[in-house]
Structures are given as C-alpha cells and as structure tokens.
Amino acid sequence: MEMEASSANQRLHFGKMGYGCQHYRRRCKIRAPCCNEVFSCRHCHNEAVNLLSNPFDRHELVRKDVKQVICSVCDTEQPVAQLCSNCGVNMGEYFCKICNFFDDDTEKGQFHCDDCGICRVGGRENFFHCKKCGSCYSVALRGNHTCVENSMQHHCPICYEYLFDSLKDTTVMKCGHTMHYECYHEMLKRDKYCCPICSKSVIDMSRAWKRMDEEIEATLMPEDYRYKKVWILCNDCDDTTEVYFHIIGQKCSHCRSYNTRTIAPPELPQ
C-alpha cells in the first residue's frame, strides 16, 4: 500500500515546474473556444491573435469559456479538471475551477476573489476587496486610500494596458486613481508629478512650492503685468480664486498649491 501511495504521489508531481510558458508554469495547454486553437495560456492566445494583420480577427480569450485542456505530459485532450484523466498527473498545483486557471508556482500566493471574479496573487491574507473601487487592494490601504468607483476597471493612463487583470503590479495614487507601478515611477523620473487622469499632485509638493515662492519673490514682473489678475482653478483642492498673474505660476489662495490653471472669469448672475 505504501508503494502504491508513493507511486501515485510521484505521478501527481511528475513534471512540476517543467512545463508552461513565460506567463505560467503548468502541465497543460488550453484549447481556445473562440478560435479552436491550442495555446499555453490565455495570455499567449491574446498576444498571438492581437498581432494578426486583420484587426477584425483580433480578440481576447474569456477564461471562463475554456472547456478543453491538453495534458502536457501525455498530450491527452479532456474537459477542464485538475488531474489528467489519462496519466493522473496534477496539471496545476494551484487550480481554480471558476477561472479554469492552472499554476504550478504556488509561491505566488494565488487566491480567488469572489468579488473580483478572478484569481489574484500575493496571498489572500495580504489583500482586501474594496467594494467601491471594485478591486483587491493591499491591506495597508484599508481605510487609507481615496475611493474612486471602479478605479481598476480602466486602462493604465501611461501604457493603456487594461489594469483589472493585468499581470503587472499596480499602484493607487493619492487621488484614488490607479496605474501600473512601473509606469508610475517612470512618470516621476520624467518630472511629471500630476495624475494623468485628474491632474492632482501625486506626491508631497510643499518643497517645490516653497522654491516657487522664493523665485516669484525674486522675479519682479514688468509694470504692464504687475497688477494683472486672473482667475484660476486649483487642480489639488478644486477651489476657484482670483489671483495676481505671474509668469512663474499662480498660487492657490486656499491650499497654497501652484498646481493650478487659468480659467475664464465666472459669470455673474444677471
């Protein structure tokens, strides 16, 4: 009996981490129901078909529509299941029957979020689902972020990849909007400190505003512009005020930010 148990265990783990693609380690391939072709995973499918010359042929695979998988060990095609019906190998150490998702690399800490409707990585204990934002966030952000309805249900404003099921790490900015972590830091390296969506400052700009105060104090405007006033809208606090124009920048009277833009004067009621 012990030998049988040992043999069955060896069969289960045979080939673990030895098969798969650049996206996942797994011991099966999937048959895409949309085009009836075989791919290592849905990302491999999407990358391949989105290179087709005819844009009308391009499409994305819906993970929950997958019905057939092919065992990478014995090449047996069969309905979606964790164990191969022919050779008995475990086709994915982690398996989600809802997403039809297989992965041998369990160090990622995969878990299925019922509210998101998809599998996530990073360990269930490290995330919570924000109902308003409509996505899983790090527990460090619980009660510590600005909620934006369905904030992950859009494309990264830098690279335009869809964020909700992206394989790349995302970051939540002070304003509540989201983007890829690497895109965020690339943006900062290029001295862009405003959210590309709402234009609010994404980092503490108080030191920069102080330097601008000093520059403005040291830069006298020509006589023709010295007492010119303009109306501004502050991107950081949304306040509207009338201030003295200066070539270096206009300072919000409410929050002291220079992240402002000139606007037309408000129309007074007749």
Side-chain angles (χ1 to χ4, degrees):
M1 292 290 289
E2 287 184 8
M3 289 184 63
E4 288 181 8
S6 176
S7 176
N9 191 51
Q10 286 179 352
R11 187 165 61 248
L12 275 175
H13 296 290
F14 178 82
K16 182 180 177 182
M17 299 295 289
Y19 297 87
C21 61
Q22 62 176 324
H23 306 107
Y24 304 113
R25 296 282 87 194
R26 51 170 60 169
R27 284 161 280 176
C28 68
K29 296 180 180 179
I30 60 173
R31 183 172 292 281
C34 43
C35 52
N36 203 35
E37 298 289 338
V38 175
F39 295 90
S40 294
C41 74
R42 69 182 184 89
H43 296 290
C44 289
H45 165 277
N46 294 344
E47 288 172 4
V49 299
N50 284 322
L51 292 175
L52 295 174
S53 56
N54 187 347
F56 294 103
D57 290 334
R58 299 171 192 168
H59 58 278
E60 304 243 315
L61 188 152
V62 180
R63 72 192 82 195
K64 295 179 182 179
D65 289 348
V66 174
K67 298 291 188 292
Q68 295 289 116
V69 296
I70 299 92
C71 175
S72 297
V73 176
C74 69
D75 289 327
T76 301
E77 184 163 348
Q78 58 204 281
V80 174
Q82 186 169 19
L83 303 184
C84 175
S85 60
N86 181 52
C87 68
V89 75
N90 188 350
M91 293 188 285
E93 195 72 18
Y94 174 84
F95 170 66
C96 176
K97 63 182 179 181
I98 300 173
C99 295
N100 300 323
F101 177 56
F102 303 78
D103 199 349
D104 273 339
D105 186 6
T106 53
E107 290 187 4
K108 295 176 184 176
Q110 301 94 331
F111 66 97
H112 181 85
C113 174
D114 290 327
D115 290 316
C116 284
I118 61 173
C119 290
R120 299 287 190 191
V121 296
R124 188 184 299 275
E125 69 280 3
N126 297 318
F127 291 86
F128 76 102
H129 185 88
C130 178
K131 297 285 188 182
K132 184 170 183 180
C133 295
S135 187
C136 286
Y137 284 166
S138 167
V139 291
L141 292 175
R142 192 193 295 272
N144 189 31
H145 71 283
T146 302
C147 284
V148 174
E149 192 168 356
N150 296 322
S151 63
M152 290 284 284
Q153 303 274 358
H154 68 87
H155 297 79
C156 173
I158 301 298
C159 71
Y160 301 108
E161 181 185 342
Y162 191 58
L163 287 172
F164 185 70
D165 56 1
S166 173
L167 294 178
K168 300 175 185 176
D169 291 337
T170 58
T171 189
V172 183
M173 294 176 283
K174 288 168 58 178
C175 57
H177 291 118
T178 54
M179 63 194 300
H180 284 131
Y181 181 81
E182 61 182 37
C183 292
Y184 172 77
H185 284 281
E186 184 63 29
M187 180 181 77
L188 296 184
K189 281 197 296 185
R190 295 174 182 271
D191 298 328
K192 305 294 183 184
Y193 304 117
C194 297
C195 170
I197 299 172
C198 68
S199 297
K200 293 188 184 300
S201 300
V202 297
I203 61 172
D204 180 9
M205 296 293 291
S206 55
R207 291 175 66 183
W209 301 158
K210 186 176 180 181
R211 286 197 300 271
M212 289 184 71
D213 281 341
E214 293 168 356
E215 286 183 46
I216 287 174
E217 189 174 347
T219 308
L220 187 66
M221 289 291 287
E223 186 73 30
D224 290 347
Y225 291 95
R226 196 168 300 168
Y227 303 105
K228 176 183 171 63
K229 283 192 169 185
V230 292
W231 281 90
I232 60 167
L233 171 66
C234 178
N235 292 322
D236 286 336
C237 72
D238 297 321
D239 196 27
T240 303
T241 50
E242 188 180 24
V243 297
Y244 284 107
F245 171 79
H246 200 284
I247 193 66
I248 292 174
Q250 278 66 242
K251 185 175 185 175
C252 173
S253 305
H254 181 248
C255 71
R256 322 306 288 174
S257 167
Y258 280 98
N259 182 14
T260 62
R261 51 196 164 107
T262 57
I263 58 171
E267 291 187 12
L268 299 175
Q270 297 296 325

